Amino acid sequence: EQEFLAASGWVVRPGLVYGGNEKGLFGSLVGAIKKFSLLPAFLPTAGVQSIHVDDLAEGVLRIVEKDILPGVLHLASPKAVSFTRFLSTIAKYRVRQKRWFVPVPVVLIKMIGWMLGNRIRVQIGIDRLTSLFELPLIDTTEDLKQLDLSLRPLTDGMHPSGSMRRRRLLREGYALLSYLLKKPPATSLLRRYVRAVQY
């Protein structure tokens, strides 16, 4: 970072990147939620400032296009959500499964990581997890405003397409057509409704 700043470059510090392909920390979290019905509610709770992968890419493009002054830019949601809420949002909108949360002290996770040793700790991802607990909350409002970048809602970003618009249109179409037809509409009719409204 120091070398880039010294060369009049930009340094982009994103929040927790989610959405798109299930890779990195987001992929590990989705994998754990798919696998386990019981999930940890860490205490004290960590605040997560997230950003969808497509919004991050758009932000980086705008830095170049708008010829922003060199410096450090923080790209993430200005408002943090608890890590537990982040996990429950993944469960509800990405995995579409009900999950239950059990309180787990953060100090216990750190102790387990210390006992497992460095190699195993890194291998199973405890390092990435514990790093979340130490992240300070950052004011990202000015950087997002400078780029004129609006971030999508967390619930929308959890959908594989990055948008819940199609699902909302399907629900809307189902309600409207059921009312008009006095019976549940055929799937083909619902698809036609969504296509007509989208385009």
Side-chain angles (χ1 to χ4, degrees):
E1 287 188 358
Q2 289 173 354
E3 289 182 16
F4 268 83
L5 292 171
S8 297
W10 300 285
V11 170
V12 177
R13 293 180 185 161
L16 195 160
V17 182
Y18 73 97
N21 293 331
E22 293 169 5
K23 296 187 177 180
L25 178 56
F26 175 66
S28 299
L29 294 175
V30 172
I33 290 167
K34 285 178 178 176
K35 191 173 182 181
F36 303 108
S37 296
L38 283 177
L39 298 169
F42 295 111
L43 299 172
T45 188
V48 175
Q49 289 176 276
S50 58
I51 183 167
H52 191 273
V53 64
D54 291 345
D55 292 338
L56 176 59
E58 179 64 26
V60 171
L61 288 172
R62 290 188 188 193
I63 290 169
V64 178
E65 289 170 355
K66 289 178 173 283
D67 199 21
I68 302 295
L69 289 173
V72 178
L73 290 145
H74 297 93
L75 300 184
S77 171
K79 189 176 179 183
V81 298
S82 73
F83 188 58
T84 304
R85 184 171 165 216
F86 187 78
L87 292 179
S88 66
T89 305
I90 294 174
K92 184 176 181 180
Y93 294 98
R94 183 77 178 210
V95 179
R96 297 188 200 170
Q97 295 286 330
K98 177 73 176 168
R99 294 295 181 257
W100 290 268
F101 290 86
V102 178
V104 176
V106 169
V107 69
L108 180 64
I109 299 297
K110 290 182 177 179
M111 210 182 316
I112 290 169
W114 177 78
M115 287 190 297
L116 289 174
N118 193 44
R119 189 174 62 80
I120 297 173
R121 189 172 64 236
V122 171
Q123 189 178 353
I124 64 175
I126 286 182
D127 272 3
R128 283 188 292 180
L129 186 59
T130 54
S131 68
L132 283 175
F133 307 135
E134 292 154 10
L135 286 175
L137 296 182
I138 304 293
D139 184 5
T140 63
T141 309
E142 284 305 312
D143 291 342
L144 294 174
K145 187 176 177 183
Q146 189 179 184
L147 296 174
D148 193 25
L149 183 64
S150 296
L151 305 185
R152 71 196 68 204
L154 183 60
T155 52
D156 277 26
M158 286 298 171
H159 192 272
S161 70
S163 172
M164 295 276 282
R165 184 166 183 256
R166 183 175 171 79
R167 193 181 295 177
R168 281 193 289 265
L169 286 174
L170 282 168
R171 283 199 297 257
E172 173 191 291
Y174 185 87
L176 177 64
L177 294 169
S178 295
Y179 175 77
L180 294 173
L181 300 171
K182 308 295 186 209
K183 64 178 183 178
T187 307
S188 59
L189 184 58
L190 270 177
R191 284 201 206 99
R192 282 163 54 203
Y193 173 86
V194 170
R195 278 199 299 270
V197 173
Q198 274 185 323
Y199 308 108

